[in-house]
């Protein structure tokens, strides 16, 4: 993408830990702005599903790299396919919750997803939700948000989400999963979860989804204005 078109591309990145409200907020912001929603956690989940089905643990780096060469992963809207199979419904389970961050810490896995994520940046732009959106995948994004919330509150949200789907989960287990995932995501060597340079930190602990969405919509207005050019670089 070149020149004027590039300048019109609006990239909003929303990074933050599990349960900070990223996907709910990012989805709502995308719907209200007409930007596309990109949930990159789904892609990491799909890779975890693919490799665990093949029985390849995160420690087997060589067989894992070979298996990734055969992976045909596609994203259409928020549907994810492995080959011809739509795996979208199988990705948000407690089992995948427990293993995904171990696979997401591997350089070969992150490298495999980089281009697929960046290729989603087409006009009018997107709201990208993940852990390294503002730091690695879209470092030139016009607006970078870092959403956070206290660990107990994040576990409470995950617990309610999973219970409402009829899954039998214990709050203590969900909290311990959230804490161990935070630890793995923020201490890994490659692309650790961190506040990207120039990001605006929004703490959602005591805010409703609507309050956070409105705060971000205001920031989008302020950043991109009516003609769509970002003050902080604006384009890829
Ligand atoms: O947002 P989520 O819970 O669906 O993310 C699933 C896992 O993938 C989580 O452990 C962090 C990892 N992830 C990542 O490392 N980088 C991203 N851009 C998105 C997710």
């Amino acid at each position: 993408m070149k020149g004027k078109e590039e300048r019109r591309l609006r990239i909003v990145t929303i990074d933050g830990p599990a349960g900070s409200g990223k996907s709910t907020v990012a989805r709502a912001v995308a719907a209200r702005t007409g930007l596309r929603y990109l949930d990159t956690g789904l892609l990491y989940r799909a890779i975890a599903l693919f490799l665990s089905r093949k029985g390849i643990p995160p420690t087997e780096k060589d067989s894992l790299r070979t298996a990734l060469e055969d992976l045909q992963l596609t994203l259409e809207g928020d549907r994810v396919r492995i080959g011809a199979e739509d795996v979208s419904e199988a990705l948000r389970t407690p089992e995948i919750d427990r293993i995904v961050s171990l696979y997401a810490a591997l350089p070969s896995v992150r490298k495999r997803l980089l281009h697929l994520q960046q290729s989603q940046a087409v006009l009018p732009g997107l709201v990208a939700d993940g852990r390294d959106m503002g730091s690695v995948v879209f470092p030139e994004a016009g607006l970078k948000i870092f959403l956070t919330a206290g660990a107990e509150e994040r576990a409470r949200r995950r617990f309610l989400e999973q219970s409402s789907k009829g899954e039998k989960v214990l709050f203590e287990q969900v909290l311990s999963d959230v804490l161990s995932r935070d630890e793995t995501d923020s201490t890994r060597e490659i692309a650790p979860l961190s506040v990207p340079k120039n990001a605006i930190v929004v703490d959602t602990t005591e805010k409703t989804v609507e309050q956070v969405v409105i705060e971000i919509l205001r920031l989008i207005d302020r950043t991109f204005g009516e003609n769509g050019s970002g003050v902080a670089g604006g384009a890829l």
Side-chain angles (χ1 to χ4, degrees), residues 69-128:
E69 283 167 19
D70 292 337
L71 169 65
Q72 286 185 322
L73 187 63
T74 45
L75 183 66
E76 281 163 32
D78 55 5
R79 309 306 294 179
V80 184
R81 275 179 220 284
I82 292 177
E85 182 189 354
D86 185 334
V87 293
S88 317
E89 306 305 327
L91 301 179
R92 292 212 170 272
T93 63
E95 290 87 305
I96 299 288
D97 273 0
R98 267 193 282 280
I99 58 171
V100 59
S101 59
L102 301 173
Y103 289 107
L106 303 174
S108 55
V109 168
R110 306 203 72 83
K111 196 165 156 220
R112 173 66 179 76
L113 289 180
L114 188 61
H115 177 70
L116 178 59
Q117 294 172 93
Q118 290 175 334
S119 67
Q120 309 298 313
V122 292
L123 284 172
L126 48 81
V127 182

Side-chain angles (χ1 to χ4, degrees), residues 202-233:
V202 177
D203 188 330
T204 70
T205 310
E206 308 220 329
K207 291 180 187 154
T208 63
V209 170
E210 184 61 14
Q211 284 171 324
V212 179
V213 169
I214 287 176
E215 197 171 327
I216 295 177
L217 290 175
R218 288 208 182 104
L219 290 167
I220 289 179
D221 266 357
R222 211 171 69 195
T223 304
F224 297 100
E226 273 180 24
N227 61 12
S229 60
V231 290

Side-chain angles (χ1 to χ4, degrees), residues 186-198:
S186 45
T187 55
R188 69 183 174 218
E189 275 177 31
I190 177 168
L193 170 68
S194 60
V195 180
K197 200 165 156 248
N198 299 329

Side-chain angles (χ1 to χ4, degrees), residues 15-29:
D15 290 302
S20 56
K22 289 185 314 283
S23 47
T24 311
V25 166
R27 197 182 291 278
V29 168

